[in-house]
């Protein structure tokens, strides 16, 4: 495996062996190690000293269900700190098949201001002019790239949001059906790519070329056991394929943590109209698709292709976080409106969480009435065309709050809170507060735990192992949906890693890897100027009770500060 | 006039619990003896034991030991872990 390094200022393309100190890391942990080693922590995130890295997880490349994720990383223009954003699609697998442990993008933009495409195949890599792709949405970008390079490529690309340096811009990857819709969404990494004038990366490796496995039998046995759990358990074998992540709407609403009208309530009176059940029934009645896989080999298939009233595909995927932030958070109860907003965000290449949260902030000052779906779509069109208001909203909830004079802004470290109100699920709130990434449910979601989610006691103890596990999973390329099966049999991860690399990792390998990852991330943030004051839930959520639970976020600061001690 | 000996409760089925015998069933209407608990409703509704779920009664989180009243609506929401 090699490291490919491409400089947008000099056009230099360099392949090198993986440094010894990077070999134990992939995905998120490699992002953290790379940032500490190579990126000045106080650099301007949208300047030439920031770098981007694509890093498949350590177990990627084997078409093992839900274990082919790609991590993209860099210094975040949204949070000012460490950022890793992982996604499905085929990018991770194609990179592993190309023998790439990581791809690093440096420098930029080119001196002549031109935009580039990076083309990579088994023979090497080269920069090509992006030309007519600049300014295009991701649908058209994907179509033109597959016309030009064929249908067996992988793609990472940015849409207009990244080109305009919106801080909610992500990096989008192609899925198994050639939809350019799988987003490394969070933290504005698409803007970093845009700052370097890199429109797209082509990973041209049509032939399966699995990375070497030291102990095939051991790897195979663990893979079989893992797949058996995935198939047999109701959650991964039935719920996700049928309802996708939208199955969370009713659950989170019942718990009382579903963001509603800019996080002013935790239950939405019309939750049943935007629930997984409602969307499932409507979508199937229109001829839409459920049980859609974003990664080849995935047997969970939590994705969907949501069809509009005209019986044609409207958006893929329509997921819980989008439903929460662009639906209930805006008082919107029409799945078609949410899907249309989602479609605009997808084509722009931007995070629906931060964008939905920004619209919720805009509603606080009357730019949108809660429940007015048509007005929400008008605002999304402004984001798309790039009016001054659209640019404010496109830069996320934190900036929108500053410009519009709103203090009820649901962000941590500048990044919008996902669709679990921290006052209604305080373990997840601890994760939002203390994750080096900023507010992000994927860093340690606790809603599944059988506890009183409004009691502050024990929530640091609940969040810590969840965060360590996710730090580990994100470094291995494991999808959040697959983590459930690995939780059922914790021996499987060490078995897979030991089989793949011939290592001799102990049973606590996953947590140790996660802890190491988070400590590196915290160190980068410390050097970037972060302090304990950044590890806090927004102050208004500590004094404004969440309806109807009447709960404030009250996990003590000293407990938050000690979470990663020991 | 004698007091009624049974009460009507509704069980709202969500996610995969809606799928029964090849059809989608969103609600079950049960007649249960007075004083029945939620666990009695689950038995009467033949809820599969391998599915983990949370339970609400009239929209509020509850447990299987809660005593039901006439007209109560129970919702059974299978647990998932990510979104």
């Amino acid at each position: 495996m090699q490291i490919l390094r491409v400089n947008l200022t000099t056009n230099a393309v360099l392949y090198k062996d993986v440094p010894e100190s990077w070999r134990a890391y992939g995905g998120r942990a490699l992002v953290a190690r790379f940032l500490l080693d190579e990126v000045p922590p106080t650099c301007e995130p949208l300047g030439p000293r920031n770098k981007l890295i694509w890093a498949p997880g350590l177990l990627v490349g084997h078409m093992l269900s839900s274990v082919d994720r790609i991590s993209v990383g860099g210094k975040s223009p949204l949070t000012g700190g460490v950022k890793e954003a992982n996604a499905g699609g085929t990018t991770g697998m194609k990179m592993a098949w190309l023998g790439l442990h990581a791809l690093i993008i440096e420098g930029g933009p080119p001196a002549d201001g031109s935009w580039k495409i990076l083309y990579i195949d088994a023979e090497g890599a080269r920069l090509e002019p992006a030309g007519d792709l600049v300014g295009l949405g991701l649908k058209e970008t994907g179509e033109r790239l597959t016309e030009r390079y064929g249908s067996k490529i992988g793609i990472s690309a940015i849409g207009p949001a990244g080109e305009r340096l919106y801080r909610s811009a992500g990096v989008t990857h192609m899925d198994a059906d050639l939809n350019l819709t799988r987003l490394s969404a969070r933290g504005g990494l698409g803007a970093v790519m845009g700052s370097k004038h890199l429109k797209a990366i082509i990973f041209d490796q049509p032939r399966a070329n699995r990375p070497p496995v030291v102990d095939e039998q051991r790897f195979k046995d663990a893979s079989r056991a893992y797949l058996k759990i995935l198939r047999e358990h109701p959650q991964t074998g039935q719920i996700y394929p049928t309802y996708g992540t939208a199955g969370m709407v009713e659950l989170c609403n019942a718990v009382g943590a579903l963001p509603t009208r800019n996080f002013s309530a935790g239950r939405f009176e019309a939750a049943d109209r935007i629930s997984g059940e409602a969307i499932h029934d409507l979508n199937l009645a229109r001829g839409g698709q459920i049980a859609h896989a974003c990664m080849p080999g995935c047997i969970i298939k939590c994705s969907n292709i949501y069809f509009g009233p005209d019986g044609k595909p409207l958006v893929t995927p329509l997921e819980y976080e989008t439903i929460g932030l662009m639906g209930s958070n805006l008082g919107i109860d029409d799945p078609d409106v949410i899907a249309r907003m989602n479609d605009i965000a997808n084509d722009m290449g931007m995070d629906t969480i931060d964008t939905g949260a920004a619209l919720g902030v805009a509603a606080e000052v009357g730019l949108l009435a809660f429940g007015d779906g048509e007005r929400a779509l008008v605002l999304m069109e402004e984001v798309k065309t790039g009016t001054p208001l659209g640019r404010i909203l496109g830069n996320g909830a934190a900036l929108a709050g500053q410009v519009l004079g709103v203090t009820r802004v649901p962000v941590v470290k500048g990044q919008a809170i996902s669709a679990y109100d921290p006052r209604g699920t305080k373990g997840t709130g601890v994760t939002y507060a203390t994750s080096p990434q900023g507010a992000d449910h994927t860093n340690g979601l606790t809603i599944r735990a059988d506890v009183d989610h409004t009691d502050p006691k024990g929530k640091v103890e609940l969040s810590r192992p969840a965060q360590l596990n996710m730090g580990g999973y994100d470094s291995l390329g494991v999808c959040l949906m697959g983590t459930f099966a690995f939780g059922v049999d914790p021996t499987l991860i060490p078995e897979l890693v030991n089989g793949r690399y011939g290592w001799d990792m102990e049973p606590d390998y996953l947590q140790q890897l996660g802890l190491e990852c988070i400590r590196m991330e915290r160190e980068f943030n410390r050097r970037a100027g972060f302090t304990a004051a950044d590890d806090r839930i927004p102050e208004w959520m500590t004094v404004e009770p969440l309806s109807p639970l009447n709960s404030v976020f009250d996990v003590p600061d000293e407990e938050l500060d000690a979470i990663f001690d020991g | 006039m004698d007091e009624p000996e049974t009460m009507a409760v509704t069980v709202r089925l969500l996610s995969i619990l809606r799928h029964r015998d090849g059809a989608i069933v969103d609600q079950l209407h049960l007649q249960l003896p007075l004083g029945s608990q939620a666990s009695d409703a689950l038995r009467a509704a033949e809820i599969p034991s391998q599915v983990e779920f949370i339970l609400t009664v009239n929209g509020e989180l509850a447990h299987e030991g809660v005593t039901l009243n006439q007209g109560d609506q129970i919702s059974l929401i299978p647990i998932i872990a990510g979104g």
Side-chain angles (χ1 to χ4, degrees):
Chain A
M1 302 291 274
Q2 290 187 300
I3 305 289
L4 169 59
R5 200 176 282 274
V6 178
N7 189 303
L8 268 292
T9 302
T10 64
N11 284 350
V13 171
L14 189 66
Y15 284 88
K16 278 208 161 180
D17 289 340
V18 182
E20 185 64 37
S21 60
W22 286 16
R23 288 185 186 172
Y25 303 127
R28 181 173 158 190
L30 182 55
V31 169
R33 184 69 264 163
F34 153 80
L35 285 173
L36 281 175
D37 289 350
E38 296 200 7
V39 174
T42 56
C43 75
E44 162 57 49
L46 300 178
R49 295 200 301 161
N50 196 8
K51 299 182 183 182
L52 278 172
I53 184 170
W54 273 246
L58 285 174
L59 290 172
V60 168
H62 304 274
M63 292 182 72
L64 181 57
S65 180
S66 322
V67 191
D68 267 331
R69 285 179 82 83
I70 181 69
S71 291
V72 181
K75 178 176 173 177
S76 167
L78 187 73
T79 72
V82 63
K83 179 50 59 186
E84 180 266 358
N86 63 69
T90 59
T91 299
M93 184 185 75
K94 297 279 185 187
M95 276 187 69
W97 289 1
L98 283 161
L100 293 175
H101 191 70
L103 161 67
I104 295 167
I105 303 295
E106 306 176 336
D112 63 359
S114 62
W115 284 79
K116 302 292 185 188
I117 294 169
L118 172 62
Y119 175 84
I120 307 168
D121 67 9
E123 306 303 314
R126 61 178 184 269
L127 288 164
E128 299 181 353
D132 60 342
L133 296 181
V134 179
L136 294 185
L138 283 162
K139 273 184 219 163
E140 204 170 344
T141 297
E143 287 165 8
R144 292 202 193 181
L145 288 173
T146 49
E147 273 171 27
R148 192 180 302 176
Y149 297 103
S151 60
K152 293 186 175 177
I153 55 173
I155 300 175
S156 297
I158 56 170
E163 293 179 27
R164 288 185 205 144
L165 311 186
Y166 286 4
R167 282 165 172 76
S168 58
V171 175
T172 303
H173 312 278
M174 185 165 266
D175 72 11
D177 294 332
L178 306 182
N179 302 303
L180 197 46
T181 54
R182 303 292 150 177
L183 200 58
S184 287
R186 312 229 58 198
L189 293 174
V192 181
M193 193 163 160
S195 75
K196 299 185 182 307
H197 281 204
L198 182 61
K199 175 70 176 175
I201 304 171
I202 310 300
F203 302 94
D204 192 353
Q205 173 52 283
R207 188 173 51 83
N209 181 33
R210 287 178 61 210
V213 174
V214 173
D215 186 339
E216 283 279 5
Q217 195 58 49
R218 197 172 185 182
F219 190 84
K220 206 177 282 179
D221 289 346
S223 299
R224 281 203 190 108
Y226 163 64
L227 294 173
K228 186 168 187 289
I229 296 171
L230 285 188
R231 283 197 188 94
E232 290 180 356
H233 199 279
Q235 180 168 309
T236 45
Q238 297 173 55
I239 299 178
Y240 280 135
T242 310
Y243 293 99
T245 60
M248 184 61 81
V249 172
E250 288 278 4
L251 179 64
C252 203
N253 195 55
V255 167
L258 182 67
T260 301
R261 290 181 278 272
N262 193 30
F263 290 81
S264 63
R267 289 204 180 118
F268 182 41
E269 65 282 358
D272 62 340
R273 298 189 60 181
I274 57 171
S275 67
E277 292 78 3
I279 286 169
H280 165 272
D281 295 355
L282 188 59
N283 194 27
L284 286 188
R286 290 169 172 176
Q289 186 180 340
I290 60 170
H292 178 248
C294 81
M295 292 186 276
C298 177
I299 61 172
I300 299 178
K301 301 179 182 176
C302 72
S303 175
N304 57 14
I305 302 177
Y306 181 81
F307 278 33
D310 59 358
K312 294 179 180 165
L314 176 50
V315 74
T316 179
L318 183 55
E319 293 185 314
Y320 172 68
E321 296 301 328
T322 304
I323 295 166
L325 271 298
M326 291 184 157
S328 54
N329 186 53
L330 304 180
I332 292 172
D333 63 2
D334 183 343
D336 289 341
V337 170
I338 300 167
R340 286 163 67 193
M341 294 171 72
N342 194 165
D343 181 51
I344 294 170
N346 280 4
D347 203 45
M348 290 290 290
M350 55 199 297
D351 179 17
T352 56
I353 296 177
D354 236 297
T355 308
L359 289 171
V361 168
E364 292 279 340
V365 290
L367 289 167
L368 162 74
F370 288 118
D372 187 347
E374 289 309 312
R375 175 63 183 159
L377 282 164
V378 168
L379 291 178
M380 285 302 293
E381 285 295 333
E382 293 213 32
V383 171
K384 181 178 176 180
T385 53
T387 65
L389 176 57
R391 286 172 188 265
I392 290 165
L393 298 173
N395 273 282
L399 186 100
Q402 288 166 3
V403 175
L404 299 175
V406 176
T407 54
R408 292 187 76 262
V409 180
V411 298
V412 178
K413 299 182 178 70
Q415 181 167 286
I417 289 174
S418 340
Y420 308 85
D421 193 300
R423 294 163 291 179
T425 168
K426 291 179 182 173
T428 305
V430 172
T431 299
Y432 292 150
T434 58
S435 170
Q437 302 284 341
D440 187 339
H441 65 291
T442 68
N443 291 150
L445 186 61
T446 64
I447 194 167
R448 192 186 162 83
D450 185 16
V451 297
D452 176 356
H453 290 283
T454 61
D455 184 349
K457 290 193 183 67
K459 296 306 180 290
V460 164
E461 293 77 7
L462 188 62
S463 170
R464 177 185 155 103
Q467 289 199 59
L468 299 191
N469 284 342
M470 287 314 302
Y473 288 130
D474 289 342
S475 303
L476 297 170
V478 177
C479 175
L480 181 59
M481 309 307 149
T483 61
F484 176 77
F486 288 123
V488 170
D489 184 352
T491 68
L492 293 176
I493 285 290
E495 279 299 294
L496 284 170
V497 169
N498 292 338
R500 161 75 176 87
Y501 293 97
W503 294 341
D504 193 22
M505 294 299 175
E506 301 287 333
D508 66 347
Y509 165 72
L510 182 73
Q511 292 76 32
Q512 289 301 326
L513 178 62
L515 182 59
E516 211 172 335
C517 171
I518 289 169
R519 284 188 171 150
M520 289 190 286
E521 293 175 341
R522 285 168 65 86
E523 177 57 19
F524 183 83
N525 279 0
R526 189 191 66 76
R527 294 180 193 178
F530 283 64
T531 69
D534 295 295
D535 287 346
R536 298 290 182 266
I537 289 297
E539 187 176 279
W540 63 273
M541 287 184 165
T542 68
V543 293
E544 182 183 308
L546 177 68
S547 162
L549 299 174
N550 198 31
S551 171
V552 297
F553 188 80
D554 52 0
V555 177
D557 289 350
E558 54 272 22
E559 286 191 37
L560 297 176
D561 293 343
I563 185 169
F564 296 116
D565 292 350
Chain B
M1 190 171 163
D2 291 340
E3 290 291 315
E5 293 179 351
T6 64
M7 59 184 175
V9 301
T10 305
V11 179
R12 188 168 165 248
L13 303 168
L14 290 148
S15 185
I16 53 167
L17 295 176
R18 308 165 74 214
H19 299 252
R20 297 168 74 95
D21 302 325
I24 286 185
V25 179
D26 286 313
Q27 287 194 344
L28 296 173
H29 300 283
L30 304 176
Q31 283 291 327
L32 297 174
L34 290 177
S36 292
Q37 297 180 335
S39 56
D40 299 316
L42 300 185
R43 262 192 299 278
E46 298 178 344
I47 301 302
S49 60
Q50 70 270 29
V51 179
E52 290 178 82
F53 54 81
I54 64 167
L55 182 155
T56 66
V57 176
N58 303 328
E60 297 302 321
L61 292 173
H63 54 84
E64 293 186 20
V66 70
T67 300
L68 300 173
N69 295 301
Q70 163 69 26
D72 278 351
Q73 184 189 62
I74 303 171
S75 293
L76 304 179
I77 310 168
I79 295 173
I80 55 174

